[in-house]
Amino acid sequence: MASRLLLLAALLLAGAVCAAPDGPSGAPGRVARVSLGSAEASPRVYLDGRRLMVRREQGEWIALAGIPLSAKARSTLPVEIDYGGGRREVRKLPVTAWKYRTQRLSVPADQAELPAEQFARYQEQRVHFAQVLSTFTEAGPADLGLLQPVPGHRSGSFGLRRIINGMPRTPHGGLDIAAPEGTPVAAAAAGRVLDVGEYLFLGRTIVLDHGQGLLTLYAHLSAVDTAAGETVAAGATIGKVGATGRATGPHLHFSVYLNATSVDPAIFLPSEAK
């Protein structure tokens, strides 16, 4: 218990909460704000068929939309708003440009491709993972600020676009935090343990549900100290840093999801000390 309190205190001292969505437009991997007015009841809002988080701010309803990394700049995304009583509206959400780094790598073919005997397992895991990410719990978080799960330097790797042996790969949907093997990993916010699993690429992984489509993911763990269905407090130890799955060394891969879309965790984390 004492070690958990010390870890929580260290994380809270890391800086001020950054949680600052972009505004009425959104860039890939960022969070857009959609103003919904001051209706008495909370509207239901959807993007690409997925429910969006809706919060009350200064007497007005605001929807927060995670913008997919695959969204094209200068395009628009349809946001469907259901105010109730038969009143509906569709708005066009502009997508703005955002610059992410590109990394080109040349590696042996057997390291670049998934072995044929693992492909069926990968497909099963992909379907399961998509179901996990689609979770939407009506009760939302008290606030949007998250604790950094482990002390350490953030790589700034979110959105990194890797080109391996000339072939573009899926952009990196999280940030990596450097930490020694066995470092305790803390829950970034209070929530329910939604999924615990061993994935081919992510290794030992925990997903927490914080409500209204806000999920956090902790991957490459060496150990898991919780179980699916448990409720955890902010700062509680849920696992330990490792290098399981496809990892070149010990670190924590940390992802944040809104409406089943990976968004830059730095939006919600304390400012990193310089």
Side-chain angles (χ1 to χ4, degrees), residues 10-11 13-16 148 151-154 269-274:
L11 294 168
L13 289 172
Q148 182 166 315
H153 174 68
R154 305 173 197 166
L269 291 174
S271 300
E272 191 170 22
K274 300 298 184 182

Side-chain angles (χ1 to χ4, degrees), residues 79-163:
V79 175
E80 303 173 35
I81 307 169
D82 182 355
Y83 292 97
R87 182 188 167 202
R88 293 176 176 268
E89 178 185 356
V90 178
R91 296 190 200 170
K92 292 183 178 180
L93 177 64
V95 178
T96 56
W98 194 270
K99 183 71 172 177
Y100 293 108
R101 292 188 299 119
T102 298
Q103 182 182 46
R104 298 177 183 273
L105 299 172
S106 295
V107 301
D110 60 346
Q111 295 180 22
E113 303 299 333
L114 193 68
E117 64 271 16
Q118 293 183 347
F119 188 73
R121 181 184 168 201
Y122 168 74
Q123 289 291 81
E124 291 175 1
Q125 290 182 351
R126 192 165 66 89
V127 171
H128 169 74
F129 195 61
Q131 293 173 339
V132 169
L133 295 185
S134 67
T135 300
F136 188 93
T137 305
E138 290 293 340
D143 60 67
L144 298 178
L146 299 178
L147 304 174
Q148 182 166 315
V150 292
H153 174 68
R154 305 173 197 166
S155 69
S157 58
F158 178 83
L160 177 69
R161 299 172 187 271
R162 288 192 175 100
I163 299 176

Side-chain angles (χ1 to χ4, degrees), residues 240-266:
K240 293 180 175 62
V241 169
T244 56
R246 289 202 170 186
T248 56
H251 70 280
L252 178 69
H253 171 99
F254 178 58
S255 292
V256 175
Y257 293 87
L258 267 181
N259 47 278
T261 298
S262 63
V263 295
D264 190 349

